[in-house]
Amino acid sequence: MNRRRFIKSSLLLAMTSTLPRVVLATNPSAGFDYELIVAPADVNIVPGGSTPALSFNGGYPSPVIRAKQHQPVRIRVVNQLNEPTTIHWHGMRIPIGMDGVPFLSQPPIMPGDTFDYEFTPPDAGSFWYHPHMNSVEQLGKGLVGALIVDEAEKPDFDADLVLCMKNWHIKDDGSFTALTTPQNAFRMGTPGRVMTINGEMHPTYDVPAGGAIRVRLLNVDNTLVYDVTSTDSDAQIIAIDGNPIAQPRTLGNHLIAPGMRLDLGVIAPSKAGETVTFKHKNKPLVTLRAVTSKLKDRRLPTLPLNPIPAPDLENAETIRFAFEWNANITPIHKDGKVNYNFWTMNRRSWEGMSKGNIPAPLAKLELGKTYIFELANLTQYHHPIHIHGHTFTVLKSNKKAITPFHTDTVLLGQNETVIAALVADNPGRWMYHCHIIEHLKTGFMGYVEVS
Ligand code: C2O
Ligand code: CU
């Protein structure tokens, strides 16, 4: 797409606040609302060349799936890769059978096979989807997309921008560089070189002047923690990791680690041509440019809160999880092979699993009971700790003041301990892991069993 067409279509997008369903069943008996075909495809990220990516429906950015709160959505996944895959719906509190984790929740979708996912989102907000197999490569090469759940009653924004942040591991000719190196896997992960929003380097989106704009930032990257700021000092945080916050607050800066999301509300500049830029540290990520509109005196609407179960702290049981590394092993063997048992959760590394071999859970939780997770990061690196099928209420940190909030991914700073509660109300075996994908691959993964 050339630049003018891009801006035109993004204007259209901004004005209508909805994205077209990419593959929509014309016949309701087709059995799906969306079809995602997972296959290799050449995509254009850098001007100079094409990138041999893995794609949903042949391109990047991936289709934005829009579901509605409390209404079922059916998504057919067709695997045209030459390896197995599954698709996980990150942040969704849905039944285990739809969680998209191989062996724990479903058999892998083999090459040539199809799997129909169907679930009813209890929460509205910004979520995303990605495979849960061979993740360094499948996610790293492009299998990441936004899943937006619209509120049962749609809030009154004049534009709604879905912005997926990803740094591609590619050279100027578009070819891939290493998605992981042992040296980085045992530190902060291997950063990609080309920073993109929806697959474009620093794109500009037109928004109606004076309009109330919802900006959804989704970190679909394998590695990077974005430190987001805005040139609009009035930009408001309205939702964190999909969940609206009771008291919106000024952005200042906010860390968005892999897996995490941030919804911002901004009132667009009132003069056509004026801009607002969002940055990662001092690097521009994306610019919004006001175009003439009739809008006046617009205010940011209030988002309804999600129905996250309230923890019963008085009767809660505390479980401590220590995030460490295995000091007794060399991360890299003499022959250059990576040791996959480097990072440990309660002194255990993820052993991997297969149909006949599922390791023991890290903890067994009683259905309906509240648990307080004491998440202790005993390393000098940060780790975004993600749980499937549940949403934490973050209560306290030993490093900073916390206004309690809901999230599926808790970012632990170096040597930070965070206290987060959850109600174990969803039966199943739920993945529980660091979302820095190379960390998950080298030990930081396990699961909890709710029954
Ligand atoms: Cu996005 Cu198991 O995670
Ligand atoms: Cu980590």
Side-chain angles (χ1 to χ4, degrees), residues 180-190 324-326 329-333 336-344 349 379-381 383 436 438-444:
T180 177
T181 66
Q183 290 77 6
N184 288 326
F186 306 119
R187 298 190 175 87
M188 261 337 302
T190 309
E324 290 172 282
W325 71 95
N326 191 339
I329 63 154
T330 6
I332 308 154
H333 297 295
K337 283 231 176 80
V338 172
N339 195 320
Y340 288 101
N341 305 309
F342 182 73
W343 302 104
T344 63
S349 275
T379 79
Q380 55 181 316
Y381 302 105
H383 302 285
I436 290 174
E438 289 162 278
H439 290 177
L440 151 178
K441 277 285 161 192
T442 50
F444 262 172

Side-chain angles (χ1 to χ4, degrees), residues 44-46 60-61 164 166 168 195-201 203:
N44 276 92
I45 305 293
V46 283
Y60 190 88
C164 289
K166 176 172 166 60
W168 287 75
M195 192 166 74
T196 67
I197 294 284
N198 294 347
E200 278 214 316
M201 291 177 262

Side-chain angles (χ1 to χ4, degrees), residues 30-46:
F32 58 87
D33 301 311
Y34 289 90
E35 184 172 49
L36 294 175
I37 296 168
V38 192
D42 291 335
V43 300
N44 276 92
I45 305 293
V46 283

Side-chain angles (χ1 to χ4, degrees), residues 274-340:
E274 288 187 346
T275 61
V276 175
T277 295
F278 296 93
K279 300 182 188 179
H280 161 53
K281 301 201 172 128
N282 52 10
K283 290 185 206 132
L285 282 164
V286 59
T287 293
L288 313 187
R289 182 177 57 202
V291 297
T292 314
S293 87
K294 295 218 164 69
L295 299 169
K296 259 217 304 273
D297 303 326
R298 298 287 291 141
R299 286 166 165 266
L300 294 174
T302 306
L303 297 175
L305 300 182
N306 280 330
I308 310 295
D312 171 8
L313 296 176
E314 274 178 18
N315 298 303
E317 183 179 321
T318 298
I319 308 178
R320 181 180 160 89
F321 294 97
F323 296 87
E324 290 172 282
W325 71 95
N326 191 339
N328 298 323
I329 63 154
T330 6
I332 308 154
H333 297 295
K334 281 212 185 70
D335 59 7
K337 283 231 176 80
V338 172
N339 195 320
Y340 288 101

Side-chain angles (χ1 to χ4, degrees), residues 211-234:
I213 317 296
R214 182 174 191 166
V215 177
R216 305 171 188 259
L217 294 168
L218 296 88
N219 186 347
V220 301
D221 193 65
N222 278 14
T223 313
L224 241 125
V225 178
Y226 296 84
D227 186 354
V228 174
T229 59
S230 172
T231 55
D232 174 0
S233 56
D234 286 333

